[in-house]
mmCIF file of all heavy atoms in Angstrom:
data_model
loop_
_atom_site.group_PDB
_atom_site.id
_atom_site.type_symbol
_atom_site.label_atom_id
_atom_site.label_comp_id
_atom_site.label_asym_id
_atom_site.label_seq_id
_atom_site.Cartn_x
_atom_site.Cartn_y
_atom_site.Cartn_z
ATOM 1 N N ASN A 156 -14.301 -6.823 -26.319
ATOM 2 C CA ASN A 156 -13.012 -6.113 -26.266
ATOM 3 C C ASN A 156 -12.262 -6.393 -24.969
ATOM 4 O O ASN A 156 -11.431 -5.616 -24.537
ATOM 5 C CB ASN A 156 -13.240 -4.603 -26.419
ATOM 6 C CG ASN A 156 -14.034 -4.024 -25.267
ATOM 7 O OD1 ASN A 156 -14.895 -4.707 -24.707
ATOM 8 N ND2 ASN A 156 -13.757 -2.791 -24.900
ATOM 9 N N PHE A 157 -12.574 -7.527 -24.324
ATOM 10 C CA PHE A 157 -11.924 -7.883 -23.067
ATOM 11 C C PHE A 157 -11.136 -9.179 -23.239
ATOM 12 O O PHE A 157 -11.640 -10.151 -23.793
ATOM 13 C CB PHE A 157 -12.981 -8.053 -21.965
ATOM 14 C CG PHE A 157 -12.425 -8.547 -20.663
ATOM 15 C CD1 PHE A 157 -11.740 -7.685 -19.810
ATOM 16 C CD2 PHE A 157 -12.562 -9.881 -20.289
ATOM 17 C CE1 PHE A 157 -11.213 -8.140 -18.616
ATOM 18 C CE2 PHE A 157 -12.031 -10.345 -19.084
ATOM 19 C CZ PHE A 157 -11.365 -9.473 -18.250
ATOM 20 N N TYR A 158 -9.891 -9.177 -22.786
ATOM 21 C CA TYR A 158 -9.031 -10.360 -22.906
ATOM 22 C C TYR A 158 -8.206 -10.506 -21.638
ATOM 23 O O TYR A 158 -8.063 -9.565 -20.872
ATOM 24 C CB TYR A 158 -8.053 -10.221 -24.090
ATOM 25 C CG TYR A 158 -8.713 -9.749 -25.340
ATOM 26 C CD1 TYR A 158 -8.787 -8.386 -25.620
ATOM 27 C CD2 TYR A 158 -9.289 -10.652 -26.230
ATOM 28 C CE1 TYR A 158 -9.424 -7.934 -26.769
ATOM 29 C CE2 TYR A 158 -9.926 -10.205 -27.380
ATOM 30 C CZ TYR A 158 -9.995 -8.845 -27.645
ATOM 31 O OH TYR A 158 -10.624 -8.402 -28.753
ATOM 32 N N ILE A 159 -7.663 -11.694 -21.452
ATOM 33 C CA ILE A 159 -6.698 -11.851 -20.365
ATOM 34 C C ILE A 159 -5.377 -12.360 -20.937
ATOM 35 O O ILE A 159 -5.359 -13.081 -21.926
ATOM 36 C CB ILE A 159 -7.190 -12.809 -19.258
ATOM 37 C CG1 ILE A 159 -7.305 -14.244 -19.770
ATOM 38 C CG2 ILE A 159 -8.513 -12.351 -18.674
ATOM 39 C CD1 ILE A 159 -7.512 -15.257 -18.665
ATOM 40 N N LEU A 160 -4.290 -11.913 -20.313
ATOM 41 C CA LEU A 160 -2.985 -12.487 -20.615
ATOM 42 C C LEU A 160 -2.717 -13.453 -19.459
ATOM 43 O O LEU A 160 -2.474 -13.022 -18.328
ATOM 44 C CB LEU A 160 -1.905 -11.397 -20.694
ATOM 45 C CG LEU A 160 -0.513 -11.872 -21.123
ATOM 46 C CD1 LEU A 160 -0.527 -12.434 -22.541
ATOM 47 C CD2 LEU A 160 0.499 -10.729 -21.048
ATOM 48 N N GLY A 161 -2.859 -14.743 -19.757
ATOM 49 C CA GLY A 161 -2.879 -15.752 -18.692
ATOM 50 C C GLY A 161 -1.531 -15.919 -18.017
ATOM 51 O O GLY A 161 -0.526 -16.224 -18.664
ATOM 52 N N GLY A 162 -1.533 -15.713 -16.715
ATOM 53 C CA GLY A 162 -0.298 -15.921 -15.952
ATOM 54 C C GLY A 162 -0.576 -16.539 -14.593
ATOM 55 O O GLY A 162 0.269 -16.498 -13.703
ATOM 56 N N HIS A 163 -1.782 -17.095 -14.421
ATOM 57 C CA HIS A 163 -2.107 -17.695 -13.119
ATOM 58 C C HIS A 163 -1.237 -18.920 -12.844
ATOM 59 O O HIS A 163 -0.833 -19.625 -13.750
ATOM 60 C CB HIS A 163 -3.590 -18.088 -13.071
ATOM 61 C CG HIS A 163 -4.489 -16.915 -12.839
ATOM 62 N ND1 HIS A 163 -4.399 -16.130 -11.717
ATOM 63 C CD2 HIS A 163 -5.495 -16.390 -13.591
ATOM 64 C CE1 HIS A 163 -5.314 -15.164 -11.785
ATOM 65 N NE2 HIS A 163 -5.981 -15.297 -12.914
ATOM 66 N N LYS A 164 -0.976 -19.119 -11.560
ATOM 67 C CA LYS A 164 -0.095 -20.219 -11.158
ATOM 68 C C LYS A 164 -0.762 -21.086 -10.094
ATOM 69 O O LYS A 164 -1.620 -20.609 -9.343
ATOM 70 C CB LYS A 164 1.211 -19.660 -10.579
ATOM 71 C CG LYS A 164 2.017 -18.790 -11.542
ATOM 72 C CD LYS A 164 2.833 -19.622 -12.502
ATOM 73 C CE LYS A 164 3.826 -18.782 -13.305
ATOM 74 N NZ LYS A 164 3.173 -17.872 -14.262
ATOM 75 N N ARG A 165 -0.312 -22.340 -10.022
ATOM 76 C CA ARG A 165 -0.791 -23.264 -8.987
ATOM 77 C C ARG A 165 0.398 -23.620 -8.101
ATOM 78 O O ARG A 165 1.470 -23.982 -8.590
ATOM 79 C CB ARG A 165 -1.383 -24.511 -9.645
ATOM 80 C CG ARG A 165 -2.541 -24.147 -10.597
ATOM 81 C CD ARG A 165 -2.929 -25.314 -11.478
ATOM 82 N NE ARG A 165 -3.589 -26.350 -10.708
ATOM 83 C CZ ARG A 165 -3.318 -27.650 -10.828
ATOM 84 N NH1 ARG A 165 -2.404 -28.062 -11.690
ATOM 85 N NH2 ARG A 165 -3.961 -28.527 -10.091
ATOM 86 N N ILE A 166 0.209 -23.535 -6.808
ATOM 87 C CA ILE A 166 1.360 -23.596 -5.902
ATOM 88 C C ILE A 166 1.889 -25.023 -5.679
ATOM 89 O O ILE A 166 3.095 -25.220 -5.560
ATOM 90 C CB ILE A 166 1.042 -22.903 -4.537
ATOM 91 C CG1 ILE A 166 2.336 -22.649 -3.751
ATOM 92 C CG2 ILE A 166 0.054 -23.694 -3.710
ATOM 93 C CD1 ILE A 166 3.267 -21.644 -4.368
ATOM 94 N N ILE A 167 0.993 -26.010 -5.627
ATOM 95 C CA ILE A 167 1.455 -27.360 -5.283
ATOM 96 C C ILE A 167 2.465 -27.914 -6.299
ATOM 97 O O ILE A 167 3.519 -28.428 -5.904
ATOM 98 C CB ILE A 167 0.250 -28.332 -5.100
ATOM 99 C CG1 ILE A 167 -0.699 -27.808 -4.012
ATOM 100 C CG2 ILE A 167 0.730 -29.746 -4.783
ATOM 101 C CD1 ILE A 167 -0.219 -27.925 -2.584
ATOM 102 N N PRO A 168 2.213 -27.793 -7.617
ATOM 103 C CA PRO A 168 3.225 -28.287 -8.566
ATOM 104 C C PRO A 168 4.599 -27.631 -8.374
ATOM 105 O O PRO A 168 5.631 -28.281 -8.563
ATOM 106 C CB PRO A 168 2.634 -27.918 -9.940
ATOM 107 C CG PRO A 168 1.158 -27.858 -9.703
ATOM 108 C CD PRO A 168 1.000 -27.320 -8.313
ATOM 109 N N ALA A 169 4.591 -26.363 -7.990
ATOM 110 C CA ALA A 169 5.876 -25.684 -7.777
ATOM 111 C C ALA A 169 6.595 -26.272 -6.570
ATOM 112 O O ALA A 169 7.827 -26.408 -6.572
ATOM 113 C CB ALA A 169 5.646 -24.192 -7.585
ATOM 114 N N MET A 170 5.835 -26.620 -5.527
ATOM 115 C CA MET A 170 6.457 -27.233 -4.356
ATOM 116 C C MET A 170 7.041 -28.595 -4.724
ATOM 117 O O MET A 170 8.146 -28.947 -4.303
ATOM 118 C CB MET A 170 5.428 -27.360 -3.214
ATOM 119 C CG MET A 170 5.036 -25.998 -2.632
ATOM 120 S SD MET A 170 3.588 -26.060 -1.531
ATOM 121 C CE MET A 170 4.315 -26.703 -0.017
ATOM 122 N N HIS A 171 6.317 -29.351 -5.569
ATOM 123 C CA HIS A 171 6.851 -30.630 -6.059
ATOM 124 C C HIS A 171 8.179 -30.414 -6.775
ATOM 125 O O HIS A 171 9.145 -31.140 -6.544
ATOM 126 C CB HIS A 171 5.861 -31.277 -7.046
ATOM 127 C CG HIS A 171 4.762 -32.046 -6.373
ATOM 128 N ND1 HIS A 171 4.994 -33.223 -5.690
ATOM 129 C CD2 HIS A 171 3.430 -31.809 -6.269
ATOM 130 C CE1 HIS A 171 3.848 -33.678 -5.204
ATOM 131 N NE2 HIS A 171 2.872 -32.828 -5.536
ATOM 132 N N THR A 172 8.213 -29.438 -7.644
ATOM 133 C CA THR A 172 9.419 -29.181 -8.432
ATOM 134 C C THR A 172 10.601 -28.824 -7.536
ATOM 135 O O THR A 172 11.702 -29.345 -7.705
ATOM 136 C CB THR A 172 9.154 -28.033 -9.438
ATOM 137 O OG1 THR A 172 8.138 -28.472 -10.331
ATOM 138 C CG2 THR A 172 10.401 -27.680 -10.218
ATOM 139 N N LEU A 173 10.343 -27.944 -6.566
ATOM 140 C CA LEU A 173 11.401 -27.561 -5.629
ATOM 141 C C LEU A 173 11.955 -28.771 -4.909
ATOM 142 O O LEU A 173 13.166 -28.948 -4.787
ATOM 143 C CB LEU A 173 10.820 -26.625 -4.567
ATOM 144 C CG LEU A 173 10.918 -25.127 -4.768
ATOM 145 C CD1 LEU A 173 10.398 -24.438 -3.524
ATOM 146 C CD2 LEU A 173 12.372 -24.714 -5.008
ATOM 147 N N LEU A 174 11.048 -29.619 -4.431
ATOM 148 C CA LEU A 174 11.468 -30.752 -3.609
ATOM 149 C C LEU A 174 12.137 -31.835 -4.430
ATOM 150 O O LEU A 174 13.118 -32.439 -4.001
ATOM 151 C CB LEU A 174 10.262 -31.311 -2.853
ATOM 152 C CG LEU A 174 9.772 -30.386 -1.727
ATOM 153 C CD1 LEU A 174 8.376 -30.771 -1.274
ATOM 154 C CD2 LEU A 174 10.736 -30.425 -0.546
ATOM 155 N N SER A 175 11.611 -32.054 -5.645
ATOM 156 C CA SER A 175 12.223 -33.138 -6.426
ATOM 157 C C SER A 175 13.592 -32.726 -6.946
ATOM 158 O O SER A 175 14.452 -33.567 -7.172
ATOM 159 C CB SER A 175 11.290 -33.597 -7.554
ATOM 160 O OG SER A 175 10.888 -32.483 -8.311
ATOM 161 N N ALA A 176 13.817 -31.430 -7.114
ATOM 162 C CA ALA A 176 15.156 -30.981 -7.508
ATOM 163 C C ALA A 176 16.126 -31.201 -6.351
ATOM 164 O O ALA A 176 17.310 -31.464 -6.555
ATOM 165 C CB ALA A 176 15.124 -29.506 -7.890
ATOM 166 N N GLY A 177 15.606 -31.082 -5.138
ATOM 167 C CA GLY A 177 16.401 -31.405 -3.953
ATOM 168 C C GLY A 177 17.604 -30.508 -3.729
ATOM 169 O O GLY A 177 18.543 -30.883 -3.043
ATOM 170 N N GLU A 178 17.588 -29.314 -4.318
ATOM 171 C CA GLU A 178 18.766 -28.456 -4.174
ATOM 172 C C GLU A 178 18.740 -27.615 -2.908
ATOM 173 O O GLU A 178 19.744 -27.066 -2.510
ATOM 174 C CB GLU A 178 18.864 -27.519 -5.383
ATOM 175 C CG GLU A 178 19.171 -28.247 -6.674
ATOM 176 C CD GLU A 178 19.087 -27.302 -7.862
ATOM 177 O OE1 GLU A 178 19.423 -26.127 -7.699
ATOM 178 O OE2 GLU A 178 18.665 -27.749 -8.937
ATOM 179 N N VAL A 179 17.540 -27.501 -2.341
ATOM 180 C CA VAL A 179 17.412 -26.642 -1.158
ATOM 181 C C VAL A 179 17.016 -27.509 0.028
ATOM 182 O O VAL A 179 16.030 -28.226 -0.034
ATOM 183 C CB VAL A 179 16.318 -25.570 -1.373
ATOM 184 C CG1 VAL A 179 16.327 -24.564 -0.229
ATOM 185 C CG2 VAL A 179 16.512 -24.868 -2.690
ATOM 186 N N PRO A 180 17.816 -27.470 1.077
ATOM 187 C CA PRO A 180 17.430 -28.237 2.253
ATOM 188 C C PRO A 180 16.245 -27.561 2.946
ATOM 189 O O PRO A 180 16.372 -26.453 3.446
ATOM 190 C CB PRO A 180 18.682 -28.182 3.141
ATOM 191 C CG PRO A 180 19.421 -26.967 2.699
ATOM 192 C CD PRO A 180 19.040 -26.698 1.276
ATOM 193 N N ILE A 181 15.101 -28.209 2.905
ATOM 194 C CA ILE A 181 13.907 -27.648 3.543
ATOM 195 C C ILE A 181 13.419 -28.628 4.606
ATOM 196 O O ILE A 181 13.235 -29.805 4.339
ATOM 197 C CB ILE A 181 12.783 -27.412 2.508
ATOM 198 C CG1 ILE A 181 13.264 -26.430 1.429
ATOM 199 C CG2 ILE A 181 11.531 -26.867 3.181
ATOM 200 C CD1 ILE A 181 12.313 -26.277 0.264
ATOM 201 N N ASP A 182 13.255 -28.117 5.826
ATOM 202 C CA ASP A 182 12.812 -28.982 6.916
ATOM 203 C C ASP A 182 11.322 -28.881 7.186
ATOM 204 O O ASP A 182 10.795 -29.582 8.041
ATOM 205 C CB ASP A 182 13.593 -28.634 8.191
ATOM 206 C CG ASP A 182 15.088 -28.846 7.996
ATOM 207 O OD1 ASP A 182 15.478 -29.992 7.726
ATOM 208 O OD2 ASP A 182 15.851 -27.859 8.069
ATOM 209 N N GLY A 183 10.655 -27.991 6.472
ATOM 210 C CA GLY A 183 9.213 -27.872 6.659
ATOM 211 C C GLY A 183 8.683 -26.672 5.919
ATOM 212 O O GLY A 183 9.448 -25.770 5.553
ATOM 213 N N PHE A 184 7.373 -26.696 5.683
ATOM 214 C CA PHE A 184 6.728 -25.611 4.952
ATOM 215 C C PHE A 184 5.716 -24.879 5.815
ATOM 216 O O PHE A 184 4.817 -25.494 6.391
ATOM 217 C CB PHE A 184 5.989 -26.146 3.718
ATOM 218 C CG PHE A 184 6.892 -26.570 2.607
ATOM 219 C CD1 PHE A 184 7.169 -27.914 2.393
ATOM 220 C CD2 PHE A 184 7.475 -25.629 1.764
ATOM 221 C CE1 PHE A 184 8.002 -28.312 1.361
ATOM 222 C CE2 PHE A 184 8.305 -26.018 0.730
ATOM 223 C CZ PHE A 184 8.575 -27.357 0.527
ATOM 224 N N LEU A 185 5.880 -23.563 5.879
ATOM 225 C CA LEU A 185 4.833 -22.712 6.431
ATOM 226 C C LEU A 185 3.914 -22.430 5.238
ATOM 227 O O LEU A 185 4.293 -21.730 4.306
ATOM 228 C CB LEU A 185 5.461 -21.417 6.959
ATOM 229 C CG LEU A 185 4.525 -20.421 7.653
ATOM 230 C CD1 LEU A 185 4.020 -20.988 8.977
ATOM 231 C CD2 LEU A 185 5.259 -19.104 7.931
ATOM 232 N N CYS A 186 2.718 -23.030 5.279
ATOM 233 C CA CYS A 186 1.857 -22.996 4.090
ATOM 234 C C CYS A 186 0.942 -21.780 4.098
ATOM 235 O O CYS A 186 0.515 -21.321 5.145
ATOM 236 C CB CYS A 186 1.033 -24.274 4.011
ATOM 237 S SG CYS A 186 2.077 -25.739 3.838
ATOM 238 N N PRO A 187 0.635 -21.265 2.897
ATOM 239 C CA PRO A 187 -0.073 -19.997 2.771
ATOM 240 C C PRO A 187 -1.480 -20.021 3.356
ATOM 241 O O PRO A 187 -2.168 -21.035 3.294
ATOM 242 C CB PRO A 187 -0.133 -19.759 1.259
ATOM 243 C CG PRO A 187 0.162 -21.067 0.634
ATOM 244 C CD PRO A 187 0.991 -21.840 1.591
ATOM 245 N N GLY A 188 -1.900 -18.889 3.893
ATOM 246 C CA GLY A 188 -3.234 -18.784 4.476
ATOM 247 C C GLY A 188 -4.311 -18.616 3.431
ATOM 248 O O GLY A 188 -5.232 -19.431 3.325
#
Side-chain angles (χ1 to χ4, degrees):
Chain A
N156 64 327
F157 174 77
Y158 313 91
I159 67 168
L160 185 63
H163 282 300
K164 300 279 190 292
R165 302 167 71 225
I166 195 67
I167 302 287
M170 291 168 78
H171 277 291
T172 297
L173 266 186
L174 289 164
S175 52
E178 293 173 34
V179 188
I181 300 172
D182 299 299
F184 287 102
L185 183 68
C186 298

